[in-house]
Amino acid sequence: MRTNLNTLAVVRNLGILAHVDAGKTTVTERILYATGTTHKRGEVHDGTTVTDFDPQERDRGITIFAAAVSCAWDGHRINLIDTPGHVDFADEVERSLRVLDGAVAVFDAVAGVEPQSESVWRQADRHGVPRIAFVNKLDRAGADLDTAVASIRDRLHPAPLVVQLPIGVEDGFRGVVDLVRMRALVWADGAETAVEEPVPEDLREEALRRRRMLEEAVAELHAGALEEFCARSTLAPETLVTALRDLTRSGDGVVVLCGSAYRNRGIEPLLDAVVAYLPSPLDVPAVRGLRDGADGERPADPRAPFAALAFKVSATPTGRLTYLRVYSGTIEKGETVYDAGARRTERIGRILRVQADRHARVDRAVAGDIVAVVGLKSARPGSTLCAPDAPLVLEPPSVADPVVSVAVEARRSTDTDRLASALGRLAEEDPSLVVRTDAETGQTVLSGMGELHLEVAVEKIRRDLGLEVNVGRPRVSYRETVGRGVSGFVFRHVKQDGGAGQFAHVVLDVAPAEGGFEFRSAVVGGRVPQEYVRAVEAGCRDALAEGPLGGHPVTGLRVTLTDGATHVKDSSDTAFRTAGRLGLRDALRTCAMVLLEPVVEVTVTVPDDAVGGVLGDLAARRGRVTGSTTRAGAAVVTATVPLAELFGYATRLRSRTQGRGSFTSRPTGYAPAPAAAAAPMPTASR
């Protein structure tokens, strides 16, 4: 029986997003338990969760790898991805958001919006992913829904639409008032589900006041609700639900719910909100891509030509799994698909419905599905798979540039080839890991998004393959930029070696610029034909790979081709590309260059009596304090610090605060570095 569009209307593809320790994985576990997918509540601290199944995740108590699960609620199928919250694994979040239709953003009721929750929120903004917010941990000391909502409004700038009022505070939190339907949902101690009751008398006046605030906020944003509100001075529950759904899907508002996932309170209303407000595959725009160089699109229709995006690849004991989001069409096991990036056909061996590390075989996948397939050899994260007779290339997820590197080598020379193979496989699975050979030292260098990212990668090699690996000290990835440019730099490329010669004459202006690299042509009179102008630009881009200060990538410059000359026989694309590369390289040597180092925003939470020592330590690390507040009896210090100065900071902070301090960080870009900052790559330690 063929899947119809009505079936797609009951599918929800969503992710769980949050700062580390906000409770994402616990929320996911309670969703699986509430939907009957699991029969025992998994706990992060016990290492019994479904989605944190990797040994390193259980050892460290954090989510490292995005894990997909499926469950059913109220006649709907929910495909859910639990994403990492640590900044080092932001690329996992990026790849997940690329294929999701909606998300639940989880916030700590004490901390509110934290640095990484702000980062993942911005990532979701870029992808246009509708969200609802869940304020978690309302049973903690110092928990306050209004304060958390205020931080959402002030730091993330959406219109928060609070649809619940807590019943009880901190340890006495026992339920919520549903402001949409004006009812109380109460969870007794040890109860699995909520009991519906009338709104408690002592909260009735406050509930009515907040319901009125919700109606007014919705009427301001939604034309249909405004019309009814003006006519009746109130909104019917059905109108409110419709308006909240429209505002969520358009991004004009964010529905806010609350609860305590650890105590299993607030999960059923959250699931109801997911079904009611977040979009199905039919509610999002048709996916767009390139077909034969022109724009094309595919609707979420099982009868359309097949198109899917690979967003995750992992090696398992049973084979190589490729995770797909199917955007259109239908695929069955045994069928042939076309990898549009690799330009080759492959055969689908098996199709699996994923439950974290467990899999159930299915015969086919249709538009709107998130599944894993076995049998693909060439597919990488970001690959487009489509019908061989209807090729389409979808935009892949963006990949961030690595900022930290270490030298790695096998402890035994006989394991060198095995290590190279393992590193190559890691880079296939995680595009944010880059493996290269240092041209000067001949060492193998592994680069990633942070210390923890590289630690996890190396530990994976040690555990999975039993390889003993030596690892050097971490080193940050520097950039070079133009501080003061040069005008009218002349470069002539002339080469005669007996055959056809090469001749190219270019005149370049080099100037600082915001952002990355800009190229312009100001040549007049056709002195340099347009096809050679493009070759000069390509050559200039080649020259950006290594700067004159230390061989680091060059960014933040504008190159203008102002003049040039050609030879009737010896000029060619190759000659002008070479002139662009060598000319810009020489021009940069005459510019005043500036070395840039990555900087991060650090948020340190410490007891009040340890603030002085922490501030002194940050200053010694070239940190610049940007803010300090008090929250729940602790001081929260925000500072901008060079990434190179943060290596080993976690251990130092613990010793200064007797283990009571913690910190988080997020990248904020690059800043000028001391002249002697860039050192050679440290050798692998033994």
Side-chain angles (χ1 to χ4, degrees), residues 204-479:
R204 186 159 188 81
E205 184 176 341
E206 177 66 10
L208 290 171
R209 185 182 72 83
R210 292 186 179 240
R211 164 64 185 242
R212 183 70 176 182
M213 291 171 57
L214 175 63
E215 290 177 340
E216 291 173 352
V218 169
E220 285 182 8
L221 299 169
H222 191 277
L226 178 61
E227 185 177 342
E228 181 174 320
F229 187 76
C230 291
R232 299 179 49 196
S233 296
T234 188
L235 295 178
E238 296 75 17
T239 304
L240 201 50
V241 168
T242 299
L244 290 171
R245 177 170 58 246
D246 293 343
L247 293 173
T248 298
R249 295 177 182 182
S250 68
D252 293 325
V254 176
V255 172
V256 180
L257 302 96
C258 60
S260 168
Y262 179 69
R263 293 195 179 187
N264 204 33
R265 295 174 182 176
I267 299 302
E268 300 103 313
L270 176 62
L271 285 165
D272 291 337
V274 164
V275 167
Y277 305 130
L278 291 180
S280 73
L282 296 178
D283 298 318
V284 297
V287 67
R288 301 188 62 83
L290 293 177
R291 181 175 183 180
D292 298 328
D295 289 342
E297 64 177 39
R298 293 282 166 82
D301 186 344
R303 296 162 294 187
F306 175 72
L309 186 72
F311 66 95
K312 182 179 175 67
V313 174
S314 65
T316 70
T318 57
R320 188 173 185 267
L321 288 183
T322 304
Y323 291 77
L324 304 179
R325 162 65 194 267
V326 182
Y327 283 101
S328 68
T330 302
I331 186 69
E332 298 186 357
K333 64 179 182 179
E335 286 192 12
T336 298
V337 296
Y338 180 66
D339 185 331
R343 297 187 176 182
R344 58 177 287 179
T345 57
E346 298 213 59
R347 182 177 174 275
I348 302 290
R350 299 195 304 274
I351 303 174
L352 307 172
R353 184 79 63 195
V354 182
Q355 291 292 101
D357 59 337
R358 299 189 298 274
H359 316 107
R361 294 193 186 190
V362 294
D363 292 332
R364 63 177 184 162
V366 301
D369 273 341
I370 292 179
V371 295
V373 297
V374 179
L376 304 183
K377 296 181 176 61
S378 65
R380 304 286 183 266
S383 296
T384 299
L385 302 175
C386 51
D389 58 349
L392 184 75
V393 180
L394 303 177
E395 181 183 358
S398 61
V399 180
D401 293 331
V403 295
V404 179
S405 302
V406 292
V408 293
E409 65 180 19
R411 188 166 295 177
R412 295 187 295 268
S413 59
T414 54
D415 288 335
T416 300
D417 290 342
R418 290 180 64 204
L419 176 61
S421 176
L423 289 172
R425 190 161 58 247
L426 277 179
E428 280 185 17
E429 296 180 9
D430 184 353
S432 61
L433 286 171
V434 176
V435 182
R436 64 180 176 85
T437 301
D438 188 274
E440 294 183 2
T441 65
Q443 290 179 307
T444 299
V445 178
L446 178 64
S447 303
M449 304 306 297
E451 275 188 285
L452 181 59
H453 190 204
L454 297 179
E455 281 180 24
V456 167
V458 172
E459 185 64 21
K460 187 174 178 65
I461 292 174
R462 287 172 173 155
R463 290 194 183 198
D464 293 356
L465 299 179
L467 279 175
E468 292 297 323
V469 181
N470 295 323
V471 182
R473 295 188 308 276
R475 178 175 183 256
V476 301
S477 297
Y478 293 91
R479 298 287 185 268

Side-chain angles (χ1 to χ4, degrees), residues 34 178 197 236 272 382 424 502 582 627:
D178 176 1
E197 299 178 357
D272 291 337
Q502 292 187 21
L582 299 180

